């Protein structure tokens, strides 16, 4: 308890999956948490759950692909919480799962808009608040798909590879401001995003899950908390010498 006392955190895509686990864990560790998402009802419900457990949280509607929305929401979060210390760029979509030659340009653009432009916009508008506070931590959700290839999700791979290098560039640009920027690379984590992929696969959810389990040497896919604990380390001062790094949490997927 208390690893994030006096830490004002904003989490994008915070209502579901990994983002939700991050919001709940960070609140338990004493952070003031701005839960943001495009699914307002689920975000509000999560805030109530956190408050019922004694935590400090509030909800903002934030579509990471809209600069106007990002700028406004971050300004309100900073006013309400008294600054922004940690940004978790978590919002992301898997997008269409087709081979490259069958993807429509609009389908490609949609993935890049949320997964790449969204990280850019939130970072762009969070950095000035962190500079004002003389420090901060930015945590970008990349993926094992930002490290290695697989014969699926081409636009998603491109987006997560971009996030990996955006992280390193921003780490170098803002090291002098004491703003640390790191990426997390999860293996498959059972969340609504992966459940939707399973349903769309046509092979049955249980079969799909077993196949995913087998890809991880540890024998199963991960849980949202597995990622949230990594994010907790990167948000806290325990990682004060860590910037530009890639935290791989993947049950051994990329060790092979
Ligand atoms: N689940 C996995 O296996 C896995 C693996 C590697 C990386 N990741 C990454 O982790 C992050 C979270 O994934 P997840 O599995 O929890 O996904 P999820 O679909 O379960 O949750 C994502 C959340 O982001 C929100 N969101 C979508 N578009 C948005 C937008 N434009 N603006 C704001 N919010 C938006 C959704 O409403 C949802 O609440 C993503 O960046 C994903 O790419 C997930």
């Amino acid at each position: 308890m208390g690893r994030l006392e006096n830490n004002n955190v904003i989490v994008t895509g915070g209502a579901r999956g990994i983002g939700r686990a991050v919001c709940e864990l960070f609140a338990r560790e004493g952070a003031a948490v701005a839960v943001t998402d495009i699914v307002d009802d689920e975000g509000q419900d999560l805030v109530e759950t956190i408050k019922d457990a004694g935590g400090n949280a509030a909800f903002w509607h934030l579509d990471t692909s809209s600069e106007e929305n990002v700028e406004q929401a971050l300004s309100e979060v900073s006013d309400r919480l008294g600054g922004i210390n940690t940004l978790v760029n978590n919002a992301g979509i898997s997008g269409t799962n087709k081979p490259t030659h069958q993807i429509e340009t609009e389908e490609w653009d949609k993935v890049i808009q949320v997964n790449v432009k969204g990280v850019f916009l939130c970072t762009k508008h969070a950095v000035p608040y962190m500079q004002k506070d003389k420090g901060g931590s930015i945590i970008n959700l990349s993926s094992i798909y930002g490290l290695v290839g697989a014969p699926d999700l081409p636009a998603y791979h491109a987006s997560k590879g971009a996030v990996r290098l955006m992280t390193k560039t921003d780490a170098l640009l803002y090291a002098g401001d004491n703003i640390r920027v790191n990426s997390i690379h999860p293996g498959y984590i059972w969340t609504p995003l992966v459940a939707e992929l399973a349903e769309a696969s046509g092979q049955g959810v249980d079969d799909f899950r077993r196949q995913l389990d087998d890809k991880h040497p540890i024998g199963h896919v991960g849980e949202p908390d597995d990622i949230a604990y990594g994010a907790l380390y990167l948000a806290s001062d325990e990682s004060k010498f860590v910037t530009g790094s890639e935290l791989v949490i993947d049950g051994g997927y990329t060790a092979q």
Side-chain angles (χ1 to χ4, degrees), residues 86-116:
T86 298
L87 164 67
V88 184
N89 277 315
N90 165 77
I93 57 173
S94 59
T96 187
N97 190 11
K98 298 176 188 166
T100 303
H101 70 286
Q102 292 176 0
I103 299 176
E104 302 295 340
T105 307
E106 297 73 33
E107 293 173 326
W108 179 275
D109 287 347
K110 172 78 183 155
V111 175
I112 301 301
Q113 211 173 25
V114 177
N115 293 7
V116 180

PDB file of all heavy atoms in Angstrom, residues 86-116:
ATOM      1  N   THR A  86       1.685  11.071 -13.773  1.00  0.00           N
ATOM      2  CA  THR A  86       1.856   9.832 -14.537  1.00  0.00           C
ATOM      3  C   THR A  86       0.781   9.747 -15.617  1.00  0.00           C
ATOM      4  O   THR A  86      -0.398   9.998 -15.346  1.00  0.00           O
ATOM      5  CB  THR A  86       1.731   8.599 -13.610  1.00  0.00           C
ATOM      6  OG1 THR A  86       2.772   8.661 -12.621  1.00  0.00           O
ATOM      7  CG2 THR A  86       1.865   7.300 -14.391  1.00  0.00           C
ATOM      8  N   LEU A  87       1.216   9.398 -16.820  1.00  0.00           N
ATOM      9  CA  LEU A  87       0.285   9.153 -17.936  1.00  0.00           C
ATOM     10  C   LEU A  87       0.464   7.708 -18.373  1.00  0.00           C
ATOM     11  O   LEU A  87       1.580   7.285 -18.692  1.00  0.00           O
ATOM     12  CB  LEU A  87       0.616  10.083 -19.117  1.00  0.00           C
ATOM     13  CG  LEU A  87      -0.008   9.710 -20.473  1.00  0.00           C
ATOM     14  CD1 LEU A  87      -1.531   9.857 -20.446  1.00  0.00           C
ATOM     15  CD2 LEU A  87       0.591  10.585 -21.587  1.00  0.00           C
ATOM     16  N   VAL A  88      -0.634   6.951 -18.378  1.00  0.00           N
ATOM     17  CA  VAL A  88      -0.581   5.583 -18.905  1.00  0.00           C
ATOM     18  C   VAL A  88      -1.311   5.573 -20.252  1.00  0.00           C
ATOM     19  O   VAL A  88      -2.540   5.666 -20.306  1.00  0.00           O
ATOM     20  CB  VAL A  88      -1.208   4.559 -17.938  1.00  0.00           C
ATOM     21  CG1 VAL A  88      -1.033   3.141 -18.485  1.00  0.00           C
ATOM     22  CG2 VAL A  88      -0.581   4.666 -16.544  1.00  0.00           C
ATOM     23  N   ASN A  89      -0.532   5.525 -21.327  1.00  0.00           N
ATOM     24  CA  ASN A  89      -1.090   5.483 -22.681  1.00  0.00           C
ATOM     25  C   ASN A  89      -1.488   4.041 -22.984  1.00  0.00           C
ATOM     26  O   ASN A  89      -0.730   3.273 -23.578  1.00  0.00           O
ATOM     27  CB  ASN A  89      -0.052   5.973 -23.699  1.00  0.00           C
ATOM     28  CG  ASN A  89      -0.021   7.479 -23.803  1.00  0.00           C
ATOM     29  OD1 ASN A  89      -1.056   8.135 -23.865  1.00  0.00           O
ATOM     30  ND2 ASN A  89       1.187   8.040 -23.831  1.00  0.00           N
ATOM     31  N   ASN A  90      -2.705   3.703 -22.556  1.00  0.00           N
ATOM     32  CA  ASN A  90      -3.147   2.306 -22.631  1.00  0.00           C
ATOM     33  C   ASN A  90      -4.167   2.062 -23.742  1.00  0.00           C
ATOM     34  O   ASN A  90      -4.228   0.955 -24.285  1.00  0.00           O
ATOM     35  CB  ASN A  90      -3.753   1.921 -21.266  1.00  0.00           C
ATOM     36  CG  ASN A  90      -4.555   0.646 -21.327  1.00  0.00           C
ATOM     37  OD1 ASN A  90      -3.995  -0.456 -21.355  1.00  0.00           O
ATOM     38  ND2 ASN A  90      -5.872   0.763 -21.379  1.00  0.00           N
ATOM     39  N   ALA A  91      -4.967   3.084 -24.092  1.00  0.00           N
ATOM     40  CA  ALA A  91      -6.048   2.868 -25.074  1.00  0.00           C
ATOM     41  C   ALA A  91      -5.475   2.289 -26.360  1.00  0.00           C
ATOM     42  O   ALA A  91      -4.457   2.760 -26.868  1.00  0.00           O
ATOM     43  CB  ALA A  91      -6.761   4.186 -25.366  1.00  0.00           C
ATOM     44  N   GLY A  92      -6.130   1.256 -26.860  1.00  0.00           N
ATOM     45  CA  GLY A  92      -5.660   0.649 -28.101  1.00  0.00           C
ATOM     46  C   GLY A  92      -6.714  -0.267 -28.670  1.00  0.00           C
ATOM     47  O   GLY A  92      -7.595  -0.747 -27.946  1.00  0.00           O
ATOM     48  N   ILE A  93      -6.629  -0.486 -29.973  1.00  0.00           N
ATOM     49  CA  ILE A  93      -7.558  -1.408 -30.640  1.00  0.00           C
ATOM     50  C   ILE A  93      -6.753  -2.387 -31.482  1.00  0.00           C
ATOM     51  O   ILE A  93      -5.652  -2.067 -31.939  1.00  0.00           O
ATOM     52  CB  ILE A  93      -8.583  -0.656 -31.523  1.00  0.00           C
ATOM     53  CG1 ILE A  93      -7.877   0.227 -32.568  1.00  0.00           C
ATOM     54  CG2 ILE A  93      -9.518   0.192 -30.667  1.00  0.00           C
ATOM     55  CD1 ILE A  93      -8.816   0.870 -33.579  1.00  0.00           C
ATOM     56  N   SER A  94      -7.308  -3.582 -31.677  1.00  0.00           N
ATOM     57  CA  SER A  94      -6.597  -4.559 -32.511  1.00  0.00           C
ATOM     58  C   SER A  94      -6.862  -4.303 -33.986  1.00  0.00           C
ATOM     59  O   SER A  94      -6.029  -4.566 -34.839  1.00  0.00           O
ATOM     60  CB  SER A  94      -7.008  -5.985 -32.148  1.00  0.00           C
ATOM     61  OG  SER A  94      -8.399  -6.137 -32.323  1.00  0.00           O
ATOM     62  N   GLY A  95      -8.037  -3.747 -34.293  1.00  0.00           N
ATOM     63  CA  GLY A  95      -8.364  -3.453 -35.684  1.00  0.00           C
ATOM     64  C   GLY A  95      -8.633  -4.711 -36.489  1.00  0.00           C
ATOM     65  O   GLY A  95      -8.785  -5.808 -35.949  1.00  0.00           O
ATOM     66  N   THR A  96      -8.656  -4.538 -37.776  1.00  0.00           N
ATOM     67  CA  THR A  96      -9.034  -5.621 -38.668  1.00  0.00           C
ATOM     68  C   THR A  96      -7.950  -6.698 -38.721  1.00  0.00           C
ATOM     69  O   THR A  96      -6.764  -6.388 -38.673  1.00  0.00           O
ATOM     70  CB  THR A  96      -9.293  -5.047 -40.083  1.00  0.00           C
ATOM     71  OG1 THR A  96      -9.816  -6.075 -40.898  1.00  0.00           O
ATOM     72  CG2 THR A  96      -8.036  -4.490 -40.703  1.00  0.00           C
ATOM     73  N   ASN A  97      -8.404  -7.958 -38.796  1.00  0.00           N
ATOM     74  CA  ASN A  97      -7.442  -9.056 -38.856  1.00  0.00           C
ATOM     75  C   ASN A  97      -7.487  -9.726 -40.234  1.00  0.00           C
ATOM     76  O   ASN A  97      -8.134 -10.750 -40.416  1.00  0.00           O
ATOM     77  CB  ASN A  97      -7.728 -10.079 -37.755  1.00  0.00           C
ATOM     78  CG  ASN A  97      -6.609 -11.095 -37.634  1.00  0.00           C
ATOM     79  OD1 ASN A  97      -5.539 -10.921 -38.236  1.00  0.00           O
ATOM     80  ND2 ASN A  97      -6.839 -12.149 -36.894  1.00  0.00           N
ATOM     81  N   LYS A  98      -6.812  -9.063 -41.189  1.00  0.00           N
ATOM     82  CA  LYS A  98      -6.763  -9.577 -42.566  1.00  0.00           C
ATOM     83  C   LYS A  98      -5.323  -9.518 -43.035  1.00  0.00           C
ATOM     84  O   LYS A  98      -4.531  -8.732 -42.502  1.00  0.00           O
ATOM     85  CB  LYS A  98      -7.569  -8.658 -43.492  1.00  0.00           C
ATOM     86  CG  LYS A  98      -9.029  -8.528 -43.208  1.00  0.00           C
ATOM     87  CD  LYS A  98      -9.606  -7.494 -44.189  1.00  0.00           C
ATOM     88  CE  LYS A  98     -11.024  -7.136 -43.883  1.00  0.00           C
ATOM     89  NZ  LYS A  98     -11.441  -5.929 -44.618  1.00  0.00           N
ATOM     90  N   PRO A  99      -4.977 -10.293 -44.068  1.00  0.00           N
ATOM     91  CA  PRO A  99      -3.642 -10.119 -44.652  1.00  0.00           C
ATOM     92  C   PRO A  99      -3.511  -8.722 -45.272  1.00  0.00           C
ATOM     93  O   PRO A  99      -4.518  -8.117 -45.652  1.00  0.00           O
ATOM     94  CB  PRO A  99      -3.566 -11.198 -45.732  1.00  0.00           C
ATOM     95  CG  PRO A  99      -4.858 -11.913 -45.740  1.00  0.00           C
ATOM     96  CD  PRO A  99      -5.761 -11.339 -44.711  1.00  0.00           C
ATOM     97  N   THR A 100      -2.276  -8.251 -45.341  1.00  0.00           N
ATOM     98  CA  THR A 100      -2.024  -6.864 -45.747  1.00  0.00           C
ATOM     99  C   THR A 100      -2.720  -6.491 -47.062  1.00  0.00           C
ATOM    100  O   THR A 100      -3.312  -5.405 -47.169  1.00  0.00           O
ATOM    101  CB  THR A 100      -0.491  -6.658 -45.888  1.00  0.00           C
ATOM    102  OG1 THR A 100       0.107  -6.988 -44.631  1.00  0.00           O
ATOM    103  CG2 THR A 100      -0.148  -5.234 -46.265  1.00  0.00           C
ATOM    104  N   HIS A 101      -2.694  -7.384 -48.050  1.00  0.00           N
ATOM    105  CA  HIS A 101      -3.244  -7.003 -49.365  1.00  0.00           C
ATOM    106  C   HIS A 101      -4.762  -6.904 -49.380  1.00  0.00           C
ATOM    107  O   HIS A 101      -5.332  -6.448 -50.364  1.00  0.00           O
ATOM    108  CB  HIS A 101      -2.760  -7.987 -50.450  1.00  0.00           C
ATOM    109  CG  HIS A 101      -3.359  -9.357 -50.353  1.00  0.00           C
ATOM    110  ND1 HIS A 101      -2.977 -10.271 -49.382  1.00  0.00           N
ATOM    111  CD2 HIS A 101      -4.311  -9.971 -51.080  1.00  0.00           C
ATOM    112  CE1 HIS A 101      -3.667 -11.383 -49.550  1.00  0.00           C
ATOM    113  NE2 HIS A 101      -4.481 -11.228 -50.575  1.00  0.00           N
ATOM    114  N   GLN A 102      -5.401  -7.290 -48.280  1.00  0.00           N
ATOM    115  CA  GLN A 102      -6.871  -7.194 -48.232  1.00  0.00           C
ATOM    116  C   GLN A 102      -7.372  -6.065 -47.334  1.00  0.00           C
ATOM    117  O   GLN A 102      -8.565  -5.848 -47.197  1.00  0.00           O
ATOM    118  CB  GLN A 102      -7.462  -8.527 -47.750  1.00  0.00           C
ATOM    119  CG  GLN A 102      -7.284  -9.647 -48.748  1.00  0.00           C
ATOM    120  CD  GLN A 102      -7.785 -10.991 -48.218  1.00  0.00           C
ATOM    121  OE1 GLN A 102      -8.267 -11.104 -47.103  1.00  0.00           O
ATOM    122  NE2 GLN A 102      -7.637 -12.019 -49.044  1.00  0.00           N
ATOM    123  N   ILE A 103      -6.446  -5.351 -46.691  1.00  0.00           N
ATOM    124  CA  ILE A 103      -6.864  -4.293 -45.748  1.00  0.00           C
ATOM    125  C   ILE A 103      -7.241  -3.028 -46.513  1.00  0.00           C
ATOM    126  O   ILE A 103      -6.495  -2.575 -47.388  1.00  0.00           O
ATOM    127  CB  ILE A 103      -5.723  -3.976 -44.748  1.00  0.00           C
ATOM    128  CG1 ILE A 103      -5.382  -5.217 -43.921  1.00  0.00           C
ATOM    129  CG2 ILE A 103      -6.113  -2.822 -43.835  1.00  0.00           C
ATOM    130  CD1 ILE A 103      -4.202  -5.023 -42.992  1.00  0.00           C
ATOM    131  N   GLU A 104      -8.400  -2.469 -46.163  1.00  0.00           N
ATOM    132  CA  GLU A 104      -8.800  -1.184 -46.744  1.00  0.00           C
ATOM    133  C   GLU A 104      -7.980  -0.074 -46.069  1.00  0.00           C
ATOM    134  O   GLU A 104      -7.654  -0.166 -44.885  1.00  0.00           O
ATOM    135  CB  GLU A 104     -10.297  -0.912 -46.487  1.00  0.00           C
ATOM    136  CG  GLU A 104     -11.236  -1.974 -47.033  1.00  0.00           C
ATOM    137  CD  GLU A 104     -11.214  -2.063 -48.556  1.00  0.00           C
ATOM    138  OE1 GLU A 104     -10.789  -1.091 -49.216  1.00  0.00           O
ATOM    139  OE2 GLU A 104     -11.607  -3.125 -49.083  1.00  0.00           O
ATOM    140  N   THR A 105      -7.696   0.980 -46.822  1.00  0.00           N
ATOM    141  CA  THR A 105      -6.916   2.098 -46.287  1.00  0.00           C
ATOM    142  C   THR A 105      -7.572   2.667 -45.025  1.00  0.00           C
ATOM    143  O   THR A 105      -6.884   3.009 -44.053  1.00  0.00           O
ATOM    144  CB  THR A 105      -6.785   3.212 -47.342  1.00  0.00           C
ATOM    145  OG1 THR A 105      -6.274   2.621 -48.531  1.00  0.00           O
ATOM    146  CG2 THR A 105      -5.853   4.319 -46.883  1.00  0.00           C
ATOM    147  N   GLU A 106      -8.897   2.730 -45.020  1.00  0.00           N
ATOM    148  CA  GLU A 106      -9.613   3.298 -43.854  1.00  0.00           C
ATOM    149  C   GLU A 106      -9.408   2.408 -42.626  1.00  0.00           C
ATOM    150  O   GLU A 106      -9.306   2.905 -41.505  1.00  0.00           O
ATOM    151  CB  GLU A 106     -11.123   3.413 -44.123  1.00  0.00           C
ATOM    152  CG  GLU A 106     -11.516   4.357 -45.259  1.00  0.00           C
ATOM    153  CD  GLU A 106     -11.208   3.806 -46.647  1.00  0.00           C
ATOM    154  OE1 GLU A 106     -11.282   2.565 -46.828  1.00  0.00           O
ATOM    155  OE2 GLU A 106     -10.856   4.604 -47.543  1.00  0.00           O
ATOM    156  N   GLU A 107      -9.362   1.087 -42.846  1.00  0.00           N
ATOM    157  CA  GLU A 107      -9.152   0.168 -41.716  1.00  0.00           C
ATOM    158  C   GLU A 107      -7.747   0.355 -41.142  1.00  0.00           C
ATOM    159  O   GLU A 107      -7.539   0.355 -39.925  1.00  0.00           O
ATOM    160  CB  GLU A 107      -9.342  -1.281 -42.182  1.00  0.00           C
ATOM    161  CG  GLU A 107     -10.766  -1.602 -42.588  1.00  0.00           C
ATOM    162  CD  GLU A 107     -10.908  -2.992 -43.220  1.00  0.00           C
ATOM    163  OE1 GLU A 107      -9.982  -3.450 -43.921  1.00  0.00           O
ATOM    164  OE2 GLU A 107     -11.962  -3.610 -43.025  1.00  0.00           O
ATOM    165  N   TRP A 108      -6.777   0.507 -42.028  1.00  0.00           N
ATOM    166  CA  TRP A 108      -5.386   0.749 -41.596  1.00  0.00           C
ATOM    167  C   TRP A 108      -5.311   2.050 -40.796  1.00  0.00           C
ATOM    168  O   TRP A 108      -4.760   2.099 -39.693  1.00  0.00           O
ATOM    169  CB  TRP A 108      -4.473   0.802 -42.829  1.00  0.00           C
ATOM    170  CG  TRP A 108      -3.038   1.059 -42.493  1.00  0.00           C
ATOM    171  CD1 TRP A 108      -2.438   2.267 -42.290  1.00  0.00           C
ATOM    172  CD2 TRP A 108      -2.010   0.070 -42.282  1.00  0.00           C
ATOM    173  NE1 TRP A 108      -1.108   2.098 -41.974  1.00  0.00           N
ATOM    174  CE2 TRP A 108      -0.827   0.762 -41.967  1.00  0.00           C
ATOM    175  CE3 TRP A 108      -1.995  -1.322 -42.349  1.00  0.00           C
ATOM    176  CZ2 TRP A 108       0.381   0.098 -41.717  1.00  0.00           C
ATOM    177  CZ3 TRP A 108      -0.784  -1.972 -42.094  1.00  0.00           C
ATOM    178  CH2 TRP A 108       0.378  -1.262 -41.777  1.00  0.00           C
ATOM    179  N   ASP A 109      -5.897   3.123 -41.375  1.00  0.00           N
ATOM    180  CA  ASP A 109      -5.816   4.452 -40.749  1.00  0.00           C
ATOM    181  C   ASP A 109      -6.439   4.458 -39.350  1.00  0.00           C
ATOM    182  O   ASP A 109      -5.943   5.133 -38.449  1.00  0.00           O
ATOM    183  CB  ASP A 109      -6.525   5.499 -41.619  1.00  0.00           C
ATOM    184  CG  ASP A 109      -5.723   5.824 -42.879  1.00  0.00           C
ATOM    185  OD1 ASP A 109      -4.540   5.436 -42.955  1.00  0.00           O
ATOM    186  OD2 ASP A 109      -6.294   6.455 -43.794  1.00  0.00           O
ATOM    187  N   LYS A 110      -7.516   3.718 -39.183  1.00  0.00           N
ATOM    188  CA  LYS A 110      -8.221   3.708 -37.889  1.00  0.00           C
ATOM    189  C   LYS A 110      -7.298   3.178 -36.771  1.00  0.00           C
ATOM    190  O   LYS A 110      -7.235   3.743 -35.674  1.00  0.00           O
ATOM    191  CB  LYS A 110      -9.481   2.833 -38.014  1.00  0.00           C
ATOM    192  CG  LYS A 110     -10.228   2.563 -36.745  1.00  0.00           C
ATOM    193  CD  LYS A 110     -11.073   3.738 -36.339  1.00  0.00           C
ATOM    194  CE  LYS A 110     -11.769   3.482 -35.003  1.00  0.00           C
ATOM    195  NZ  LYS A 110     -12.094   4.712 -34.307  1.00  0.00           N
ATOM    196  N   VAL A 111      -6.580   2.093 -37.076  1.00  0.00           N
ATOM    197  CA  VAL A 111      -5.679   1.507 -36.067  1.00  0.00           C
ATOM    198  C   VAL A 111      -4.547   2.488 -35.736  1.00  0.00           C
ATOM    199  O   VAL A 111      -4.212   2.705 -34.561  1.00  0.00           O
ATOM    200  CB  VAL A 111      -5.102   0.164 -36.565  1.00  0.00           C
ATOM    201  CG1 VAL A 111      -4.067  -0.386 -35.593  1.00  0.00           C
ATOM    202  CG2 VAL A 111      -6.221  -0.849 -36.767  1.00  0.00           C
ATOM    203  N   ILE A 112      -3.985   3.096 -36.780  1.00  0.00           N
ATOM    204  CA  ILE A 112      -2.868   4.019 -36.556  1.00  0.00           C
ATOM    205  C   ILE A 112      -3.359   5.251 -35.791  1.00  0.00           C
ATOM    206  O   ILE A 112      -2.652   5.786 -34.922  1.00  0.00           O
ATOM    207  CB  ILE A 112      -2.221   4.430 -37.912  1.00  0.00           C
ATOM    208  CG1 ILE A 112      -1.717   3.180 -38.658  1.00  0.00           C
ATOM    209  CG2 ILE A 112      -1.105   5.447 -37.704  1.00  0.00           C
ATOM    210  CD1 ILE A 112      -0.700   2.332 -37.933  1.00  0.00           C
ATOM    211  N   GLN A 113      -4.569   5.663 -36.103  1.00  0.00           N
ATOM    212  CA  GLN A 113      -5.113   6.854 -35.449  1.00  0.00           C
ATOM    213  C   GLN A 113      -5.246   6.656 -33.934  1.00  0.00           C
ATOM    214  O   GLN A 113      -4.860   7.529 -33.162  1.00  0.00           O
ATOM    215  CB  GLN A 113      -6.483   7.154 -36.042  1.00  0.00           C
ATOM    216  CG  GLN A 113      -6.790   8.622 -36.028  1.00  0.00           C
ATOM    217  CD  GLN A 113      -8.071   8.915 -36.772  1.00  0.00           C
ATOM    218  OE1 GLN A 113      -8.930   8.050 -36.897  1.00  0.00           O
ATOM    219  NE2 GLN A 113      -8.210  10.125 -37.244  1.00  0.00           N
ATOM    220  N   VAL A 114      -5.770   5.524 -33.527  1.00  0.00           N
ATOM    221  CA  VAL A 114      -5.955   5.295 -32.077  1.00  0.00           C
ATOM    222  C   VAL A 114      -4.627   4.892 -31.433  1.00  0.00           C
ATOM    223  O   VAL A 114      -4.216   5.467 -30.413  1.00  0.00           O
ATOM    224  CB  VAL A 114      -7.018   4.195 -31.824  1.00  0.00           C
ATOM    225  CG1 VAL A 114      -7.140   3.907 -30.329  1.00  0.00           C
ATOM    226  CG2 VAL A 114      -8.365   4.610 -32.413  1.00  0.00           C
ATOM    227  N   ASN A 115      -3.921   3.935 -32.014  1.00  0.00           N
ATOM    228  CA  ASN A 115      -2.768   3.332 -31.330  1.00  0.00           C
ATOM    229  C   ASN A 115      -1.498   4.186 -31.410  1.00  0.00           C
ATOM    230  O   ASN A 115      -0.656   4.108 -30.512  1.00  0.00           O
ATOM    231  CB  ASN A 115      -2.465   1.953 -31.931  1.00  0.00           C
ATOM    232  CG  ASN A 115      -3.565   0.938 -31.647  1.00  0.00           C
ATOM    233  OD1 ASN A 115      -4.612   1.280 -31.125  1.00  0.00           O
ATOM    234  ND2 ASN A 115      -3.331  -0.309 -32.005  1.00  0.00           N
ATOM    235  N   VAL A 116      -1.359   4.966 -32.485  1.00  0.00           N
ATOM    236  CA  VAL A 116      -0.134   5.770 -32.640  1.00  0.00           C
ATOM    237  C   VAL A 116      -0.428   7.251 -32.382  1.00  0.00           C
ATOM    238  O   VAL A 116       0.186   7.876 -31.521  1.00  0.00           O
ATOM    239  CB  VAL A 116       0.484   5.579 -34.048  1.00  0.00           C
ATOM    240  CG1 VAL A 116       1.754   6.421 -34.185  1.00  0.00           C
ATOM    241  CG2 VAL A 116       0.783   4.110 -34.300  1.00  0.00           C
TER     242      VAL A 116
END
